[in-house]
Amino acid sequence: MDGSFLIGGQAVTSSETFRAVDPATNEALDTDFAVSTKEHVAQACKLADEAFDSFRETDPEDRAAFLEAIADEIENVDGLVQRAMAESGLPEARLTGERGRTCGQLRLFAKLLRQGRWAEVVVDNAMPDRQPLPRADLRQRRIAVGPVAVFGASNFPLAFSVAGGDTASALAAGCPVVCKGHPAHPGTSVMVARAIANAVKKCGLHEGVFSLVQGTSNELGAALVTDPQIKAVGFTGSRAGGLALVELAQKRPEPIPVYAEMSSINPVVLFPDALKARGADLGKGYVGSLTLGSGQFCTNPGVVVAIDGPELDTFAEAAVEALSEAQPQVMLTSGIHKNYDKGVELLSGQGEVKTLARGAEGTGCNRGRAALFETTGEAFINNPELAHEVFGAASIIVRCTDFDQIAKVLEGMEGQLTATLQIDEGDHEEAAKLVPLLERKAGRILANAWPTGVEVSYAMVHGGPFPATSDPRTTSVGTAAIERFLRPVCYQDLPDALLPKPVKHDNPLKLPRIVDGERE
């Protein structure tokens, strides 16, 4: 494998290199990967800026074909899943599915482009005879914001990485992308980046539409965010990392938005009738969700809240039995594994927290041993540390005295990606009282499911109030993700010859429009 990174379509090397590490063995993998410098970042960003004006005005059909070409290229990359397995420790079935999701979301954005609603064209025709004042001809559309910096995520080497949701939505909007590959999987990043570069060339686009920079230092990411050509940032990762990027972006002479998905414990509320009817099954399902992928999902159920009693005992007993048999899985990196162990140790050391169960002992490197705790509603309310995210298969059951205490527990939580209700029909009245509170706390509210797993669709919201994300008005999954990288422009009384295609009088692109307040 060639360890060069990409500036536009050009493979670039440097004297400084690094290697990926197999988390299952802690041994370095073959291939030296070139480290990008600040000068390389500047070159990539300059090239992206040069590509911007032509790329943002490509017809929706051409951009749709480009996204589909990327998907086709990714599907034809030999050895991609195997390399991702070696660099992440994730199993083949998971990564095969993730490749499918990656290509599927690219094709979904292609479909969105052809539908045209993303442009949100609005026309207010001139009213020269209106009294007391005439109205000018006003036409609005949304245009791309400019080159976008994307940071690959550790826990999704494909779907949230080089060609993941941030890149797909930015390219769909007409924004060139400069991606910083995650240092844990540089080989996977290079393979996908070359697939994108092939699609750029085949579609006859400016080479600056996509670049990949690589390296292990925070300074590289800082150089990317602070480059004046970059106009927005997409990030999935830790709260510390996301907030560092937000601070850098806000201190620029021209501040820019950072769309960071960061931290969530995803509360699950168990209601009495549901517990009574299926407590044991809920306990098993909970552990299945908790331990999936060694708990390395941003939607992992980190806390369960319920009224104390024998039904909750039944749930807890089933969860303990299931978790005690859970085999430890390889975590993504040694650093993530160390932080997980620290988080588990912190929870177990709290005075009013009881350790209910630990997963089976494992052999080998970086195995995440699942952990289940419990505490009281009062203790949870009074100790903010109990609500801190532990990235991995660790969760806490909160035993409350009544619904009022459940509400207080939820009120004290920070913003979340998800909130889940396990309910039966008899629980609807009490559940309805909590829904308005959960709307204020979470971006997605589920009933009778588990939060792990995010559907890529038109209605999906993968976002939420801080610290789940840095901007609760957006989503990083689903077609609405394109809105992060678009801004409105209004054209007043411009001659038709000067109007861009989406707002011309004869609507050559056949985009859906709102004309004089009515949808065409």
Side-chain angles (χ1 to χ4, degrees):
M1 178 183 290
D2 182 356
S4 57
F5 53 90
L6 294 176
I7 297 180
Q10 305 302 310
V12 181
T13 61
S14 67
S15 58
E16 184 180 357
T17 61
F18 71 106
R19 287 192 171 190
V21 174
D22 183 344
T25 63
N26 271 347
E27 295 179 356
L29 298 171
D30 58 355
T31 308
D32 293 319
F33 291 94
V35 173
S36 306
T37 65
K38 292 181 181 179
E39 290 72 25
H40 292 133
V41 169
Q43 291 171 19
C45 293
K46 182 175 183 294
L47 202 61
D49 185 64
E50 292 171 358
F52 175 53
D53 280 330
S54 62
F55 183 56
R56 72 182 178 91
E57 292 299 345
T58 51
D59 286 351
E61 174 58 39
D62 293 335
R63 285 210 300 284
F66 170 50
L67 295 177
E68 291 170 337
I70 296 174
D72 292 343
E73 289 289 332
I74 290 173
E75 288 174 340
N76 291 326
V77 176
D78 291 334
L80 176 61
V81 168
Q82 289 70 30
R83 182 68 192 193
M85 290 170 61
E87 293 183 333
S88 68
L90 295 171
E92 183 175 6
R94 152 72 192 272
L95 287 166
T96 299
E98 192 179 325
R99 180 178 60 182
R101 172 179 167 175
T102 303
C103 296
Q105 63 195 10
L106 284 160
R107 292 181 173 122
L108 181 63
F109 278 108
K111 183 178 180 181
L112 177 73
L113 287 173
R114 292 189 174 105
Q115 291 167 337
R117 295 193 305 271
W118 58 275
E120 290 192 359
V121 177
V122 180
V123 176
D124 294 331
N125 284 303
M127 299 173 66
D129 299 326
R130 188 183 67 173
Q131 295 297 326
L133 293 173
R135 184 176 76 185
D137 183 86
L138 301 169
R139 294 166 184 269
Q140 183 192 117
R141 67 159 175 162
R142 296 194 297 176
I143 69 168
V145 297
V148 170
V150 169
F151 287 75
S154 64
N155 58 339
F156 282 86
L158 298 171
F160 275 87
S161 194
V162 174
D166 288 340
T167 296
S169 53
L171 293 175
C175 298
V177 168
V178 180
C179 181
K180 180 185 180 295
H182 195 281
H185 33 78
T188 307
S189 298
V190 167
M191 295 169 85
V192 174
R194 289 183 179 159
I196 299 175
N198 288 342
V200 169
K201 186 175 182 179
K202 287 182 177 180
C203 293
L205 300 173
H206 191 294
E207 65 170 338
V209 164
F210 179 82
S211 292
L212 171 75
V213 295
Q214 299 241 69
T216 60
S217 72
N218 291 335
E219 288 75 15
L220 180 62
L224 182 55
V225 171
T226 56
D227 189 283
Q229 313 297 344
I230 294 297
K231 302 304 180 185
V233 178
F235 171 85
T236 298
S238 69
R239 185 191 302 204
L243 292 182
L245 297 183
V246 170
E247 183 177 7
L248 286 169
Q250 292 305 304
K251 287 183 176 179
R252 290 173 32 142
E254 177 200 5
I256 59 172
V258 174
Y259 299 108
E261 186 236 292
M262 299 178 292
S263 177
S264 185
I265 59 172
N266 307 296
V268 178
V269 184
L270 308 176
F271 283 79
D273 280 14
L275 270 178
K276 185 176 181 180
R278 46 197 170 92
D281 288 340
L282 287 173
K284 295 174 185 176
Y286 160 55
V287 170
S289 177
L290 174 66
T291 58
L292 183 67
S294 200
Q296 298 169 118
F297 289 88
C298 41
T299 52
N300 209 40
V303 60
V304 168
V305 187
I307 295 175
D308 199 4
E311 288 82 9
L312 183 56
D313 292 340
T314 299
F315 168 87
E317 289 166 4
V320 166
E321 181 180 356
L323 188 133
S324 299
E325 299 173 355
Q327 296 300 312
Q329 301 171 46
V330 178
M331 300 195 78
L332 294 158
T333 69
S334 60
I336 288 173
H337 178 245
K338 289 176 183 177
N339 287 334
Y340 171 71
D341 282 347
K342 288 179 182 177
V344 169
E345 184 179 358
L346 179 64
L347 279 176
S348 63
Q350 299 295 318
E352 297 186 75
V353 172
K354 177 182 178 181
T355 301
L356 290 182
R358 294 298 307 272
E361 293 277 3
T363 58
C365 299
N366 302 317
R367 265 63 177 181
R369 189 182 175 201
L372 180 61
F373 306 93
E374 74 172 14
T375 191
T376 65
E378 182 179 5
F380 193 90
I381 291 167
N382 293 330
N383 186 351
E385 289 188 343
L386 301 185
H388 289 177
E389 180 187 28
V390 177
F391 188 67
S395 187
I396 185 167
I397 298 172
V398 181
R399 293 178 175 265
C400 295
T401 56
D402 51 29
F403 281 114
D404 286 342
Q405 192 171 69
I406 286 178
K408 289 180 181 178
V409 166
L410 296 172
E411 285 172 354
M413 289 185 185
E414 298 179 309
Q416 305 293 330
L417 292 170
T418 72
T420 300
L421 306 174
Q422 292 291 349
I423 53 175
D424 278 2
E425 188 172 352
D427 300 313
H428 287 185
E429 183 177 351
E430 291 296 338
K433 297 175 184 178
L434 284 184
V435 169
L437 169 60
L438 297 178
E439 287 175 331
R440 297 177 64 173
K441 292 291 181 179
R444 177 164 57 110
I445 302 171
L446 303 81
N448 296 332
W450 298 102
T452 41
V454 181
E455 181 72 25
V456 181
S457 69
Y458 292 93
M460 177 53 62
V461 173
H462 190 61
F466 181 87
T469 62
S470 56
D471 189 335
R473 298 168 298 177
T474 67
T475 177
S476 62
V477 177
T479 57
I482 196 174
E483 296 173 8
R484 299 172 297 170
F485 307 121
L486 295 167
R487 66 177 181 86
V489 176
C490 179
Y491 307 86
Q492 181 171 331
D493 283 338
L494 263 68
D496 193 66
L498 299 183
L499 288 172
K501 287 183 180 179
V503 290
K504 280 184 174 295
H505 289 262
D506 62 351
N507 192 9
L509 298 179
K510 307 303 180 186
L511 296 173
R513 298 181 172 195
I514 295 176
V515 179
D516 295 331
E518 300 293 334
R519 189 173 296 278
E520 285 189 334

